[in-house]
Amino acid sequence: MIYVAAPARYDTMPRRRCGRSGLCLPVLSLGLRHGFGEDRGFEAQRAVLLRAFDLGVTHFDVSGTHGPPAGAAEEVLGRVLTRELRPYRDEVVVTTKAGGSAWRGPCGEGGSRKTLLAGLDRSLARLGLDHVDVFHHERPDPDTPLEETMGALDAAVRQGKALYAGVSGYSPELTRRAAGVLRRLGTPMLVHQTPYSMFDRRAEDGLLDVLDDLGAGCVADAPLARGLLSHRHLRSAPEGSRPGGDAPPLPPGETITESVWERVRALEGVAERRGRTLAQMALAWVLRDERVTSAVVGATGVAQLEEDVAAVCALDLTGAELAEIEPHARAD
């Protein structure tokens, strides 16, 4: 059966401009960190991707490290992009990253020019594309000069293999320095992707202010704290849906204690009084700040995706609701 996208796909999904650039993103983006790879059936993954597009989620966020194995998520996305979504390629924003641990050997991770440009070439081959829309350095590398790393991002754009450059996980100070290097090279920093949730508020410690000053967008990663803010009665949730994976749900040094569960339950109560799920309220909370361009959600099935997307129908939180949330919007 030939796929035809839903005609109403742009009717309900809000969009925000990415910083002061001309690029607009949906307020919810689909991340392929979990639920995509060889350990899951292709048809289920295909169904999530196409349903996301039908719902107006036109930004797909992936990395050369996503799987298992590493790169498998890009292969899945590539199959869908080159088949069902080929007629809609100009509507889709594809973000990929390099610099994480993507292949064996000393060049498989880091911030060197070789690592980033080789990683991008591998990603393009798996995606079946001649360019991605946004190319990120996945995480800071203190062992590589910043000028070399930013020079590689600039080269990717100048070679036509990416339209925009971004970074992930950089501190406010390093973000400002990186943006300065890119600006001098002639390739502005489009976006910074960073963890941001009720239980991880490090982005508020200067990063959002820096991005606003630079005119760069912010994409919130893990807005549901790796699942901690998604499931009712998490301690009895299926093992595959518990917080964890390749990144912790809380900032470094913090653990999931009984007081964290108490906050989860308190936040559930606030959400129920709003007539929303905890996940929907958590997404609305992250998006309450207009400096946040988009929040990346993951989905292992269509039902989970649809529940999260329903959050866009109730993004407005009243002052009273924010005040009720605030005492519990922290880890410990």
Side-chain angles (χ1 to χ4, degrees):
M1 183 179 296
I2 297 176
Y3 168 75
V4 178
R9 59 189 177 277
Y10 292 111
D11 289 356
T12 57
M13 176 61 65
R15 316 188 90 73
R16 292 180 181 175
R17 195 167 299 280
C18 196
R20 290 193 288 273
S21 77
L23 182 68
C24 289
L25 297 178
V27 295
L28 293 183
S29 301
L30 181 64
L32 279 67
R33 182 193 299 269
H34 300 296
F36 290 85
E38 292 182 357
D39 57 341
R40 294 183 183 272
F42 172 74
E43 288 304 318
Q45 298 172 72
R46 172 183 174 274
V48 170
L49 288 165
L50 295 183
R51 184 58 178 149
F53 189 73
D54 282 342
L55 292 171
V57 181
T58 55
H59 176 209
F60 298 129
D61 178 74
V62 71
S63 165
T65 63
H66 292 173
E74 288 181 325
E75 291 179 355
V76 170
L77 178 58
R79 289 176 66 182
V80 175
L81 285 171
T82 55
R83 296 184 345 188
E84 289 86 356
L85 292 180
R86 179 183 291 274
Y88 309 99
R89 173 64 183 99
D90 290 342
E91 300 180 39
V92 177
V93 176
V94 178
T95 293
T96 196
K97 310 175 189 71
S101 183
W103 66 88
R104 293 183 63 187
C107 295
E109 62 180 313
S112 74
R113 184 182 181 91
K114 179 174 176 60
T115 295
L116 267 62
L117 295 181
L120 177 56
D121 284 343
R122 286 170 173 245
S123 291
L124 291 174
R126 288 188 289 258
L127 291 164
L129 300 175
D130 61 3
H131 73 276
V132 292
D133 299 290
V134 189
F135 181 48
H136 283 249
H137 182 217
E138 191 152 8
R139 61 189 184 213
D141 177 12
D143 297 323
T144 300
L146 188 63
E147 291 74 13
E148 178 179 348
T149 302
M150 295 304 106
L153 296 181
D154 173 69
V157 172
R158 292 185 181 277
Q159 292 170 8
K161 295 179 180 180
L163 300 183
Y164 300 95
V167 299
S168 302
Y170 279 42
S171 69
E173 178 185 357
L174 190 59
T175 298
R176 191 179 290 280
R177 288 177 52 208
V181 175
L182 283 171
R183 184 170 55 252
R184 290 190 292 274
L185 291 170
T187 298
M189 179 186 292
L190 174 81
V191 65
H192 186 298
Q193 185 165 330
T194 184
Y196 187 38
S197 72
M198 288 181 178
F199 285 175
D200 188 344
R201 301 177 65 167
R202 287 173 291 170
E204 297 174 1
D205 296 334
L207 180 60
L208 288 171
D209 290 335
V210 167
L211 295 176
D212 189 44
D213 184 47
L214 294 172
C218 176
V219 170
D221 194 22
L224 303 180
R226 312 285 180 204
L228 190 58
L229 296 167
S230 338
H231 298 283
R232 184 175 178 81
H233 306 308
L234 264 165
R235 282 173 289 187
S236 61
E239 186 66 30
S241 64
R242 293 190 184 198
D246 58 358
L250 303 179
E254 298 186 8
T255 58
I256 302 177
T257 63
E258 180 56 34
S259 68
V260 171
W261 294 120
E262 290 174 0
R263 291 186 175 91
V264 171
R265 290 191 288 269
L267 290 166
E268 275 186 339
V270 179
E272 288 173 358
R273 289 191 288 278
R274 295 188 78 232
R276 313 301 291 176
T277 67
L278 174 57
Q280 290 166 350
M281 187 180 75
L283 291 171
W285 184 89
V286 166
L287 292 165
R288 78 199 188 287
D289 192 321
E290 290 290 334
R291 295 173 297 181
V292 176
T293 307
S294 184
V296 178
V297 297
T300 56
V302 169
Q304 181 184 357
L305 172 72
E306 291 176 338
E307 178 184 317
D308 289 346
V309 170
V312 304
C313 297
L315 289 179
D316 292 335
L317 291 166
T318 67
E321 288 168 337
L322 288 171
E324 190 175 6
I325 289 169
E326 185 62 25
H328 312 294
R330 56 193 177 88
D332 225 339

